[in-house]
Amino acid sequence: MLNPVKYKKVISISKIVLGVGIFLFSVGCSNENKHAEGELLAKTYCASCHLFTPPSILPRRVWGEKILPSMGLKMGMSHGPIYTYGNPESNPVLNPIMPQEDWDKIVHYYLNRSENSIPKNVIQDQEYSNLFEPHIYSDDSLAIISMTTYDEKSARLFLGNVGNSSLVTLDNNGGILNSEKLESPPVKIMFKDSSDYLLTIGDINPSDDAKGRLKIGDNSIEGLMRPVDFLVYDMNLDGYDDVFVCNYGNNVGDFSLFENLKNGTYKKRIIHPMSGAIKVEMANMDTDEENEIVVLFAQEHEMIMIWDYENDSFIGEKVVQFQPAFGSVDFQLRDMDGDGLKDIIIGNGDNSDLSTVLKNFHGVRVLLNRGNKNFSEDYFLPIHGVSKVLAEDFDQDGDTDILTISNFGDFTDPMFKSVNFLSNEGELVFKPKYINGLPDFRWQTMDVSDFDKDGDLDVFLGAFNLNIGPEESNISDRKNISWVRLENKIN
């Protein structure tokens, strides 16, 4: 027979356990509901400006300390569950775009669905390549290079010196012929017909100040917003060259055409009012006989747009987009599969803003052109901190190889290589190799030219030894390098 006292105790304990279980289940369901609501709200509000970003791409600490407070402020939210913006009286006037409880759900979703860390790239061992012989040049006054351009006609190398905002001209032996002081660091130089085009950025650091300048012979276009690239083309076929300009900016910027008014002045025509335009190219991207304008946008937009030009109108289309931490830096247009259509080779690795952690989605990708402006990602090699890509037949075997350089690399890993030569083995198979005799350093600029006129392509690299980005990218204790010429030894 059961003891009534013990039986009552068993019943009481069972009720408690059952109650706790129901409570935990209800809390779990509540949290799951909150997560689901937060995800839906993020896809509604956050994805209205950029591609939806899953929590898994960044560590929890980065979301909580950097990304969410910054995004919250941009969206007019005064605070989140884990942060405030200091003294409310000193804050700018906020115009919230959503109820505070909705923003709290978004914050809760990202903080609870992200991990403490993200997986690092597993770097595979590479064989070395003797295709290039490095010629290394060091100059204490040239530690941060903003531009590297070799002009075959004049046989001169032009470097942008960030340290004193100057354009440095060197001879074929690396001797400095001239150093011209400018108002800000130069980022691109081009020689066309009888005109010299020289672009200065205004501010290297993030800024919306319109202090950039494009000098065109004796004339200039002033008031550019942190410009980083331009393209010269007679768009209306009137015999006078117009200029497309990528006004990268910071929070504001645009991609614009400056129409030549034939009197030394230019009229600005905004094609797309969006910050982050980082590179422009012109090429035939489809099966018609006309060229299109291809522009890469970085910042949080992270997309490639293609414009057709018809009847004095620009008709644009977004052809590919990535999540906002992608870090777009450069692209090349080449036919990689022999179908007659230009494909996109894109490098991503910018890592100097809010989320300065090593990212396993940085690297180089080949986006195959499937026709009708549709592209598919058919190759990806993860490489930390890619800053530039070149796609050329460097080994002269009839296909297109890829050369990448990195600025924000993992220099704590002896397996990491800051220059990668991807030898094309056919069928979109690339064999990564490192350059024998070339030290791993922070590289930001790159140019290609037949320097020694022997029929193959040589490469110039510009260093950017500035301690920014992830901790693993700091190499300030290493010997300074200014620039490198990679001599192609195939011929």
Side-chain angles (χ1 to χ4, degrees), residues 290-336:
E290 303 295 329
N291 285 334
E292 284 77 42
I293 303 152
V294 185
V295 180
L296 173 63
F297 287 86
Q299 298 287 73
E300 69 272 23
H301 313 297
E302 301 294 340
M303 66 183 183
I304 293 177
M305 291 194 67
I306 296 180
W307 276 273
D308 289 289
Y309 181 71
E310 298 177 6
N311 301 320
D312 197 35
S313 296
F314 291 95
I315 304 168
E317 182 178 347
K318 178 173 63 180
V319 298
V320 64
Q321 188 171 23
F322 302 93
Q323 45 84 2
F326 189 72
S328 298
V329 288
D330 195 15
F331 72 90
Q332 300 268 279
L333 303 174
R334 301 288 188 274
D335 182 4
M336 299 299 290

Tab-separated table of all heavy atoms in Angstrom, residues 290-336:
chain	number	residue	atom	x	y	z
A	290	GLU	N	26.940	46.439	-79.391
A	290	GLU	CA	27.188	47.638	-78.611
A	290	GLU	C	27.871	47.303	-77.290
A	290	GLU	O	27.633	46.247	-76.695
A	290	GLU	CB	25.869	48.366	-78.330
A	290	GLU	CG	25.085	48.753	-79.569
A	290	GLU	CD	25.822	49.766	-80.422
A	290	GLU	OE1	26.581	50.582	-79.854
A	290	GLU	OE2	25.634	49.740	-81.655
A	291	ASN	N	28.699	48.241	-76.834
A	291	ASN	CA	29.327	48.102	-75.521
A	291	ASN	C	28.371	48.526	-74.421
A	291	ASN	O	27.518	49.406	-74.621
A	291	ASN	CB	30.590	48.952	-75.434
A	291	ASN	CG	31.744	48.329	-76.201
A	291	ASN	OD1	31.786	47.115	-76.392
A	291	ASN	ND2	32.688	49.149	-76.636
A	292	GLU	N	28.525	47.908	-73.275
A	292	GLU	CA	27.792	48.298	-72.075
A	292	GLU	C	28.758	48.879	-71.053
A	292	GLU	O	29.973	48.682	-71.147
A	292	GLU	CB	27.063	47.101	-71.465
A	292	GLU	CG	25.804	46.670	-72.204
A	292	GLU	CD	26.109	45.893	-73.471
A	292	GLU	OE1	27.010	45.046	-73.465
A	292	GLU	OE2	25.441	46.161	-74.489
A	293	ILE	N	28.201	49.578	-70.069
A	293	ILE	CA	28.996	50.165	-68.986
A	293	ILE	C	28.813	49.293	-67.754
A	293	ILE	O	27.679	49.069	-67.299
A	293	ILE	CB	28.547	51.608	-68.693
A	293	ILE	CG1	28.648	52.454	-69.965
A	293	ILE	CG2	29.390	52.232	-67.587
A	293	ILE	CD1	27.677	53.587	-70.019
A	294	VAL	N	29.920	48.793	-67.224
A	294	VAL	CA	29.892	47.875	-66.088
A	294	VAL	C	30.509	48.574	-64.885
A	294	VAL	O	31.645	49.070	-64.963
A	294	VAL	CB	30.659	46.580	-66.400
A	294	VAL	CG1	30.510	45.583	-65.256
A	294	VAL	CG2	30.192	45.972	-67.715
A	295	VAL	N	29.788	48.621	-63.777
A	295	VAL	CA	30.251	49.342	-62.578
A	295	VAL	C	30.109	48.441	-61.357
A	295	VAL	O	29.076	47.790	-61.158
A	295	VAL	CB	29.454	50.643	-62.354
A	295	VAL	CG1	29.947	51.366	-61.114
A	295	VAL	CG2	29.576	51.559	-63.570
A	296	LEU	N	31.156	48.418	-60.560
A	296	LEU	CA	31.138	47.707	-59.276
A	296	LEU	C	30.895	48.706	-58.161
A	296	LEU	O	31.591	49.721	-58.060
A	296	LEU	CB	32.475	46.988	-59.064
A	296	LEU	CG	32.694	46.327	-57.696
A	296	LEU	CD1	31.676	45.214	-57.459
A	296	LEU	CD2	34.118	45.781	-57.586
A	297	PHE	N	29.905	48.417	-57.304
A	297	PHE	CA	29.613	49.216	-56.121
A	297	PHE	C	30.004	48.422	-54.884
A	297	PHE	O	29.627	47.252	-54.734
A	297	PHE	CB	28.118	49.563	-56.037
A	297	PHE	CG	27.674	50.592	-57.028
A	297	PHE	CD1	27.300	50.209	-58.313
A	297	PHE	CD2	27.619	51.932	-56.696
A	297	PHE	CE1	26.878	51.148	-59.234
A	297	PHE	CE2	27.200	52.883	-57.616
A	297	PHE	CZ	26.828	52.492	-58.897
A	298	ALA	N	30.743	49.059	-53.984
A	298	ALA	CA	31.126	48.437	-52.721
A	298	ALA	C	30.251	49.005	-51.604
A	298	ALA	O	29.056	49.198	-51.797
A	298	ALA	CB	32.612	48.680	-52.447
A	299	GLN	N	30.871	49.285	-50.432
A	299	GLN	CA	30.115	49.714	-49.263
A	299	GLN	C	29.085	48.636	-48.916
A	299	GLN	O	29.322	47.453	-49.098
A	299	GLN	CB	29.462	51.079	-49.498
A	299	GLN	CG	30.454	52.208	-49.757
A	299	GLN	CD	31.208	52.655	-48.520
A	299	GLN	OE1	32.082	51.958	-48.045
A	299	GLN	NE2	30.914	53.833	-48.034
A	300	GLU	N	27.913	49.035	-48.428
A	300	GLU	CA	26.919	48.025	-48.071
A	300	GLU	C	26.138	47.516	-49.286
A	300	GLU	O	25.427	46.515	-49.195
A	300	GLU	CB	25.929	48.577	-47.038
A	300	GLU	CG	25.000	49.655	-47.552
A	300	GLU	CD	25.587	51.056	-47.421
A	300	GLU	OE1	26.829	51.181	-47.349
A	300	GLU	OE2	24.804	52.025	-47.389
A	301	HIS	N	26.323	48.171	-50.446
A	301	HIS	CA	25.535	47.798	-51.621
A	301	HIS	C	26.078	46.527	-52.272
A	301	HIS	O	25.310	45.644	-52.660
A	301	HIS	CB	25.523	48.948	-52.619
A	301	HIS	CG	25.218	50.272	-51.995
A	301	HIS	ND1	24.014	50.527	-51.386
A	301	HIS	CD2	25.976	51.390	-51.843
A	301	HIS	CE1	24.019	51.765	-50.904
A	301	HIS	NE2	25.199	52.304	-51.156
A	302	GLU	N	27.396	46.428	-52.455
A	302	GLU	CA	28.066	45.211	-52.909
A	302	GLU	C	27.386	44.587	-54.124
A	302	GLU	O	26.869	43.472	-54.073
A	302	GLU	CB	28.132	44.190	-51.763
A	302	GLU	CG	28.861	44.684	-50.534
A	302	GLU	CD	30.351	44.926	-50.779
A	302	GLU	OE1	30.897	44.382	-51.750
A	302	GLU	OE2	30.967	45.674	-49.986
A	303	MET	N	27.438	45.306	-55.245
A	303	MET	CA	26.746	44.796	-56.426
A	303	MET	C	27.436	45.264	-57.699
A	303	MET	O	28.233	46.212	-57.693
A	303	MET	CB	25.290	45.248	-56.428
A	303	MET	CG	25.102	46.742	-56.577
A	303	MET	SD	23.363	47.211	-56.493
A	303	MET	CE	23.469	48.983	-56.802
A	304	ILE	N	27.120	44.579	-58.785
A	304	ILE	CA	27.577	44.965	-60.115
A	304	ILE	C	26.360	45.359	-60.934
A	304	ILE	O	25.363	44.628	-60.975
A	304	ILE	CB	28.340	43.828	-60.803
A	304	ILE	CG1	29.656	43.554	-60.065
A	304	ILE	CG2	28.623	44.166	-62.265
A	304	ILE	CD1	30.449	42.404	-60.616
A	305	MET	N	26.456	46.533	-61.567
A	305	MET	CA	25.381	47.008	-62.429
A	305	MET	C	25.909	47.154	-63.850
A	305	MET	O	27.079	47.474	-64.063
A	305	MET	CB	24.815	48.333	-61.929
A	305	MET	CG	24.047	48.234	-60.627
A	305	MET	SD	23.057	49.723	-60.271
A	305	MET	CE	21.815	49.673	-61.585
A	306	ILE	N	25.035	46.917	-64.808
A	306	ILE	CA	25.364	47.075	-66.223
A	306	ILE	C	24.357	48.031	-66.849
A	306	ILE	O	23.140	47.879	-66.674
A	306	ILE	CB	25.340	45.721	-66.959
A	306	ILE	CG1	26.436	44.796	-66.406
A	306	ILE	CG2	25.528	45.919	-68.460
A	306	ILE	CD1	26.478	43.437	-67.065
A	307	TRP	N	24.893	49.032	-67.574
A	307	TRP	CA	24.045	50.015	-68.236
A	307	TRP	C	24.155	49.896	-69.752
A	307	TRP	O	25.263	49.792	-70.301
A	307	TRP	CB	24.429	51.438	-67.845
A	307	TRP	CG	23.827	51.922	-66.576
A	307	TRP	CD1	22.608	52.526	-66.411
A	307	TRP	CD2	24.414	51.865	-65.277
A	307	TRP	NE1	22.402	52.841	-65.086
A	307	TRP	CE2	23.502	52.450	-64.364
A	307	TRP	CE3	25.622	51.388	-64.789
A	307	TRP	CZ2	23.762	52.564	-63.003
A	307	TRP	CZ3	25.895	51.492	-63.434
A	307	TRP	CH2	24.967	52.075	-62.569
A	308	ASP	N	22.999	49.936	-70.409
A	308	ASP	CA	22.934	50.154	-71.848
A	308	ASP	C	22.712	51.643	-72.088
A	308	ASP	O	22.130	52.342	-71.240
A	308	ASP	CB	21.790	49.353	-72.468
A	308	ASP	CG	22.072	47.868	-72.485
A	308	ASP	OD1	22.946	47.438	-73.266
A	308	ASP	OD2	21.436	47.133	-71.702
A	309	TYR	N	23.161	52.116	-73.251
A	309	TYR	CA	22.983	53.525	-73.600
A	309	TYR	C	22.187	53.593	-74.895
A	309	TYR	O	22.654	53.136	-75.939
A	309	TYR	CB	24.344	54.198	-73.767
A	309	TYR	CG	24.288	55.666	-74.115
A	309	TYR	CD1	23.882	56.601	-73.163
A	309	TYR	CD2	24.648	56.117	-75.385
A	309	TYR	CE1	23.839	57.956	-73.471
A	309	TYR	CE2	24.616	57.462	-75.694
A	309	TYR	CZ	24.205	58.377	-74.745
A	309	TYR	OH	24.168	59.716	-75.049
A	310	GLU	N	20.977	54.145	-74.797
A	310	GLU	CA	20.112	54.240	-75.959
A	310	GLU	C	19.396	55.589	-75.963
A	310	GLU	O	18.823	55.998	-74.946
A	310	GLU	CB	19.061	53.112	-75.952
A	310	GLU	CG	19.631	51.709	-76.017
A	310	GLU	CD	18.551	50.646	-75.922
A	310	GLU	OE1	17.359	51.032	-75.919
A	310	GLU	OE2	18.892	49.453	-75.848
A	311	ASN	N	19.431	56.259	-77.111
A	311	ASN	CA	18.709	57.522	-77.282
A	311	ASN	C	19.011	58.505	-76.152
A	311	ASN	O	18.110	59.110	-75.565
A	311	ASN	CB	17.203	57.273	-77.374
A	311	ASN	CG	16.839	56.366	-78.531
A	311	ASN	OD1	17.412	56.482	-79.623
A	311	ASN	ND2	15.906	55.454	-78.298
A	312	ASP	N	20.290	58.618	-75.836
A	312	ASP	CA	20.763	59.541	-74.801
A	312	ASP	C	20.236	59.186	-73.409
A	312	ASP	O	20.153	60.034	-72.525
A	312	ASP	CB	20.380	60.993	-75.137
A	312	ASP	CG	21.195	61.998	-74.338
A	312	ASP	OD1	22.393	61.725	-74.070
A	312	ASP	OD2	20.646	63.048	-73.951
A	313	SER	N	19.860	57.916	-73.208
A	313	SER	CA	19.386	57.469	-71.906
A	313	SER	C	20.202	56.269	-71.444
A	313	SER	O	20.605	55.422	-72.255
A	313	SER	CB	17.897	57.077	-71.974
A	313	SER	OG	17.092	58.187	-72.295
A	314	PHE	N	20.427	56.201	-70.136
A	314	PHE	CA	21.133	55.082	-69.538
A	314	PHE	C	20.113	54.146	-68.891
A	314	PHE	O	19.336	54.558	-68.027
A	314	PHE	CB	22.132	55.573	-68.487
A	314	PHE	CG	23.291	56.328	-69.077
A	314	PHE	CD1	23.269	57.716	-69.157
A	314	PHE	CD2	24.399	55.652	-69.568
A	314	PHE	CE1	24.334	58.419	-69.702
A	314	PHE	CE2	25.470	56.339	-70.122
A	314	PHE	CZ	25.440	57.724	-70.192
A	315	ILE	N	20.124	52.890	-69.329
A	315	ILE	CA	19.192	51.893	-68.810
A	315	ILE	C	20.005	50.878	-68.022
A	315	ILE	O	20.760	50.074	-68.594
A	315	ILE	CB	18.424	51.211	-69.951
A	315	ILE	CG1	17.709	52.264	-70.807
A	315	ILE	CG2	17.436	50.194	-69.397
A	315	ILE	CD1	17.169	51.727	-72.108
A	316	GLY	N	19.888	50.922	-66.686
A	316	GLY	CA	20.728	50.108	-65.819
A	316	GLY	C	20.021	48.900	-65.257
A	316	GLY	O	18.797	48.889	-65.091
A	317	GLU	N	20.819	47.881	-64.942
A	317	GLU	CA	20.286	46.649	-64.368
A	317	GLU	C	21.292	46.071	-63.386
A	317	GLU	O	22.490	45.982	-63.692
A	317	GLU	CB	19.998	45.639	-65.473
A	317	GLU	CG	19.399	44.337	-65.001
A	317	GLU	CD	19.098	43.381	-66.147
A	317	GLU	OE1	19.118	43.830	-67.318
A	317	GLU	OE2	18.855	42.189	-65.872
A	318	LYS	N	20.815	45.697	-62.203
A	318	LYS	CA	21.657	45.010	-61.220
A	318	LYS	C	21.764	43.554	-61.638
A	318	LYS	O	20.766	42.850	-61.732
A	318	LYS	CB	21.056	45.145	-59.826
A	318	LYS	CG	21.827	44.435	-58.737
A	318	LYS	CD	21.261	44.762	-57.361
A	318	LYS	CE	19.843	44.271	-57.218
A	318	LYS	NZ	19.248	44.562	-55.899
A	319	VAL	N	23.014	43.074	-61.884
A	319	VAL	CA	23.174	41.712	-62.395
A	319	VAL	C	23.671	40.742	-61.330
A	319	VAL	O	23.523	39.526	-61.488
A	319	VAL	CB	24.121	41.691	-63.611
A	319	VAL	CG1	23.538	42.520	-64.749
A	319	VAL	CG2	25.517	42.182	-63.248
A	320	VAL	N	24.262	41.240	-60.271
A	320	VAL	CA	24.704	40.379	-59.175
A	320	VAL	C	24.835	41.222	-57.922
A	320	VAL	O	25.158	42.412	-57.990
A	320	VAL	CB	26.046	39.683	-59.509
A	320	VAL	CG1	27.166	40.701	-59.662
A	320	VAL	CG2	26.411	38.638	-58.468
A	321	GLN	N	24.534	40.632	-56.770
A	321	GLN	CA	24.666	41.344	-55.501
A	321	GLN	C	25.098	40.379	-54.414
A	321	GLN	O	24.718	39.205	-54.411
A	321	GLN	CB	23.354	42.031	-55.105
A	321	GLN	CG	23.511	42.945	-53.887
A	321	GLN	CD	22.272	43.796	-53.620
A	321	GLN	OE1	21.163	43.453	-54.041
A	321	GLN	NE2	22.458	44.898	-52.928
A	322	PHE	N	25.912	40.910	-53.479
A	322	PHE	CA	26.420	40.125	-52.364
A	322	PHE	C	26.005	40.791	-51.054
A	322	PHE	O	25.545	41.932	-51.034
A	322	PHE	CB	27.948	40.024	-52.429
A	322	PHE	CG	28.462	39.411	-53.705
A	322	PHE	CD1	28.824	40.201	-54.784
A	322	PHE	CD2	28.571	38.031	-53.827
A	322	PHE	CE1	29.293	39.637	-55.960
A	322	PHE	CE2	29.047	37.456	-54.991
A	322	PHE	CZ	29.416	38.260	-56.064
A	323	GLN	N	26.186	40.055	-49.941
A	323	GLN	CA	25.846	40.604	-48.624
A	323	GLN	C	26.792	41.779	-48.279
A	323	GLN	O	27.901	41.872	-48.802
A	323	GLN	CB	25.871	39.510	-47.557
A	323	GLN	CG	27.066	38.575	-47.603
A	323	GLN	CD	28.271	39.118	-46.887
A	323	GLN	OE1	28.238	40.194	-46.306
A	323	GLN	NE2	29.360	38.386	-46.917
A	324	PRO	N	26.380	42.702	-47.406
A	324	PRO	CA	27.078	43.968	-47.211
A	324	PRO	C	28.450	43.896	-46.562
A	324	PRO	O	29.169	44.893	-46.564
A	324	PRO	CB	26.106	44.787	-46.342
A	324	PRO	CG	25.208	43.789	-45.723
A	324	PRO	CD	25.088	42.667	-46.691
A	325	ALA	N	28.844	42.746	-46.007
A	325	ALA	CA	30.207	42.622	-45.471
A	325	ALA	C	31.150	41.989	-46.484
A	325	ALA	O	32.270	41.619	-46.149
A	325	ALA	CB	30.198	41.795	-44.182
A	326	PHE	N	30.709	41.882	-47.727
A	326	PHE	CA	31.442	41.163	-48.768
A	326	PHE	C	32.812	41.788	-49.040
A	326	PHE	O	33.797	41.093	-49.221
A	326	PHE	CB	30.598	41.146	-50.040
A	326	PHE	CG	31.117	40.265	-51.142
A	326	PHE	CD1	31.047	38.889	-51.038
A	326	PHE	CD2	31.658	40.811	-52.293
A	326	PHE	CE1	31.504	38.068	-52.061
A	326	PHE	CE2	32.114	40.008	-53.321
A	326	PHE	CZ	32.044	38.628	-53.205
A	327	GLY	N	32.884	43.138	-49.085
A	327	GLY	CA	34.170	43.812	-49.264
A	327	GLY	C	34.664	43.840	-50.698
A	327	GLY	O	35.839	43.573	-50.968
A	328	SER	N	33.805	44.191	-51.659
A	328	SER	CA	34.193	44.248	-53.071
A	328	SER	C	35.334	45.233	-53.286
A	328	SER	O	35.338	46.334	-52.734
A	328	SER	CB	32.999	44.679	-53.928
A	328	SER	OG	31.942	43.757	-53.849
A	329	VAL	N	36.292	44.845	-54.116
A	329	VAL	CA	37.443	45.718	-54.366
A	329	VAL	C	37.774	45.872	-55.842
A	329	VAL	O	38.254	46.934	-56.260
A	329	VAL	CB	38.703	45.221	-53.622
A	329	VAL	CG1	38.583	45.460	-52.127
A	329	VAL	CG2	38.985	43.752	-53.913
A	330	ASP	N	37.550	44.840	-56.665
A	330	ASP	CA	38.056	44.903	-58.035
A	330	ASP	C	37.366	43.850	-58.890
A	330	ASP	O	36.820	42.865	-58.366
A	330	ASP	CB	39.573	44.654	-58.017
A	330	ASP	CG	40.256	45.045	-59.325
A	330	ASP	OD1	39.639	45.768	-60.135
A	330	ASP	OD2	41.408	44.618	-59.547
A	331	PHE	N	37.394	44.055	-60.218
A	331	PHE	CA	36.899	43.027	-61.128
A	331	PHE	C	37.616	43.150	-62.470
A	331	PHE	O	38.208	44.182	-62.799
A	331	PHE	CB	35.377	43.125	-61.312
A	331	PHE	CG	34.911	44.313	-62.130
A	331	PHE	CD1	34.775	44.229	-63.511
A	331	PHE	CD2	34.601	45.517	-61.521
A	331	PHE	CE1	34.348	45.319	-64.272
A	331	PHE	CE2	34.171	46.619	-62.262
A	331	PHE	CZ	34.054	46.509	-63.646
A	332	GLN	N	37.561	42.066	-63.228
A	332	GLN	CA	38.074	42.013	-64.593
A	332	GLN	C	37.000	41.365	-65.471
A	332	GLN	O	36.203	40.546	-64.987
A	332	GLN	CB	39.351	41.178	-64.668
A	332	GLN	CG	40.500	41.714	-63.810
A	332	GLN	CD	41.405	42.655	-64.574
A	332	GLN	OE1	42.281	42.258	-65.322
A	332	GLN	NE2	41.186	43.948	-64.371
A	333	LEU	N	36.986	41.727	-66.750
A	333	LEU	CA	36.029	41.182	-67.699
A	333	LEU	C	36.794	40.379	-68.750
A	333	LEU	O	37.548	40.945	-69.544
A	333	LEU	CB	35.223	42.306	-68.358
A	333	LEU	CG	34.447	43.230	-67.410
A	333	LEU	CD1	33.812	44.383	-68.183
A	333	LEU	CD2	33.390	42.454	-66.637
A	334	ARG	N	36.621	39.058	-68.733
A	334	ARG	CA	37.304	38.171	-69.675
A	334	ARG	C	36.370	37.009	-70.021
A	334	ARG	O	35.531	36.610	-69.210
A	334	ARG	CB	38.599	37.595	-69.069
A	334	ARG	CG	39.626	38.613	-68.649
A	334	ARG	CD	40.310	39.275	-69.821
A	334	ARG	NE	41.429	40.112	-69.378
A	334	ARG	CZ	41.312	41.386	-68.993
A	334	ARG	NH1	40.115	41.947	-68.970
A	334	ARG	NH2	42.367	42.080	-68.616
A	335	ASP	N	36.552	36.438	-71.211
A	335	ASP	CA	35.812	35.235	-71.584
A	335	ASP	C	36.572	34.038	-71.027
A	335	ASP	O	37.583	33.607	-71.584
A	335	ASP	CB	35.693	35.143	-73.108
A	335	ASP	CG	34.896	33.931	-73.564
A	335	ASP	OD1	34.372	33.202	-72.694
A	335	ASP	OD2	34.801	33.707	-74.788
A	336	MET	N	36.094	33.480	-69.926
A	336	MET	CA	36.814	32.421	-69.229
A	336	MET	C	36.436	31.019	-69.707
A	336	MET	O	37.153	30.060	-69.431
A	336	MET	CB	36.562	32.522	-67.721
A	336	MET	CG	37.029	33.840	-67.106
A	336	MET	SD	38.803	34.129	-67.267
A	336	MET	CE	39.450	32.898	-66.146
